[in-house]
Amino acid sequence: MSQMTTAQTLPEIHTPAPQPVRPADGVPGAPMASMAAPAFAAAPVSTAVRVLVVDPDLGDPLIAQLRRHGHQPVGVTRGGAALQAYGDADLVLLALELPDLDGLEVCRAIRSASRVPVIIVTARHSELDCVLGLQAGADDYVTKPYGMRELMARIEAVMRRTRWQPSTLEEIRHGSLRIDVNSREVTVDGVGVTLTRKEFDLLCLLASHPETVIPRKQLLHRVWGDTWSRRTVDTHVSSLRGKLGASGWIVTVRGVGFRLGHG
């Protein structure tokens, strides 16, 4: 078909970085006294991220490592406390093994009310667990044991995507598909479709160039940043097709990449 065009170089889009949010008071399990540590004053405002760590075991070095990298971590050990605290966070690191609520339930609850990025950090490493986590609304999925460099790179990549606006258009229409770029809402035949941040960015990038086959490597770089794997995009494409109701919305061009299709 004529859509088998050569790879198109997409324009770079720059948006202002969000300002860090003010720490919340009275969050259960949060080491608020440490928030005044000198490391935070030395951290650049543009890169410091207020991270809500939701993990029943806060004795590991994660909190200290986040501080060392210039971020502002607050820890809670229970899902109920996380649902009270996520509104003051720039990013949530969420364990699935919580004492009061299932981590997937917490993720769904956060995603239903907020667009704050969520990275699941868990010992559950099966493909099914990963798919369920992404379908629950997580922006990324990291399995234990992990390297701190990898986790920091994933945090940076997620925050870059948070600041990235995928299109200067206010609305994209393609057949029965409608994408409101400003509100990040998607409908098919007038019915709302709930997407994760990555799923929306992936769909919006494809829809912004409907006649172009976007190479896999370029798509991964623009949506996932510097940290990704082949399974990452395939899992998200599969999930996105299911949510849109038809596999034809995203066409795989073997050996090249993906393009927008018709449902």
Side-chain angles (χ1 to χ4, degrees):
M1 295 181 62
S2 61
Q3 281 83 355
M4 292 285 292
T5 60
T6 57
Q8 175 175 317
T9 301
L10 306 182
E12 291 296 329
I13 302 172
H14 301 281
T15 56
Q19 296 299 313
V21 297
R22 180 180 59 83
D25 296 328
V27 177
M32 299 306 296
S34 63
M35 298 300 292
F40 292 117
V45 173
S46 60
T47 57
V49 176
R50 181 169 172 81
V51 183
L52 176 64
V53 180
V54 187
D55 195 320
D57 180 14
L58 293 178
D60 64 24
L62 178 56
I63 295 288
Q65 289 285 353
L66 288 168
R67 291 196 187 109
R68 189 175 302 169
H69 283 78
H71 299 310
Q72 301 176 348
V74 170
V76 298
T77 59
R78 303 174 69 86
L83 294 179
Q84 296 177 7
Y86 73 84
D88 289 318
D90 296 317
L91 178 138
V92 178
L93 295 181
L94 175 64
L96 297 182
E97 305 81 1
L98 301 175
D100 56 339
L101 299 172
D102 182 78
L104 293 178
E105 295 179 6
V106 175
C107 187
R108 292 189 189 97
I110 292 175
R111 183 56 65 236
S112 68
S114 171
R115 297 189 182 279
V116 62
V118 177
I119 299 178
I120 289 177
V121 182
T122 178
R124 301 179 190 176
H125 53 76
S126 73
E127 182 176 2
L128 177 59
D129 287 324
C130 179
V131 170
L132 291 175
L134 295 173
Q135 290 180 341
D139 294 271
D140 208 344
Y141 191 99
V142 180
T143 57
K144 300 177 181 180
Y146 55 83
M148 287 305 302
R149 288 184 180 180
E150 176 190 357
L151 182 61
M152 294 304 131
R154 289 181 181 273
I155 290 175
E156 292 172 5
V158 166
M159 296 312 297
R160 280 198 304 272
R161 291 192 298 273
T162 301
R163 295 188 288 266
W164 173 62
Q165 294 297 323
S167 174
T168 57
L169 301 174
E170 293 185 357
E171 182 178 273
I172 302 174
R173 290 183 178 270
H174 187 78
S176 60
L177 174 66
R178 175 183 174 275
I179 303 172
D180 188 316
V181 178
N182 292 330
S183 66
R184 298 178 69 90
E185 295 178 347
V186 176
T187 60
V188 177
D189 290 322
V191 179
V193 180
T194 302
L195 302 180
T196 67
R197 185 183 301 275
K198 287 183 181 179
E199 290 169 347
F200 179 88
D201 289 347
L202 170 61
L203 178 63
C204 198
L205 180 57
L206 293 171
S208 298
H209 308 272
E211 304 301 324
T212 301
V213 178
I214 302 180
R216 176 187 290 268
K217 185 175 182 179
Q218 189 176 20
L219 187 153
L220 284 165
H221 176 72
R222 291 298 299 270
V223 177
W224 278 268
D226 298 328
T227 305
W228 49 266
S229 67
R230 183 180 182 88
R231 196 179 80 173
T232 297
V233 66
D234 291 338
T235 299
H236 281 76
V237 165
S238 177
S239 177
L240 188 54
R241 284 168 172 163
K243 290 183 177 181
L244 294 175
S247 60
W249 280 115
I250 302 179
V251 178
T252 301
V253 181
R254 293 187 179 278
V256 183
F258 301 89
R259 66 172 175 83
L260 189 68
H262 299 273

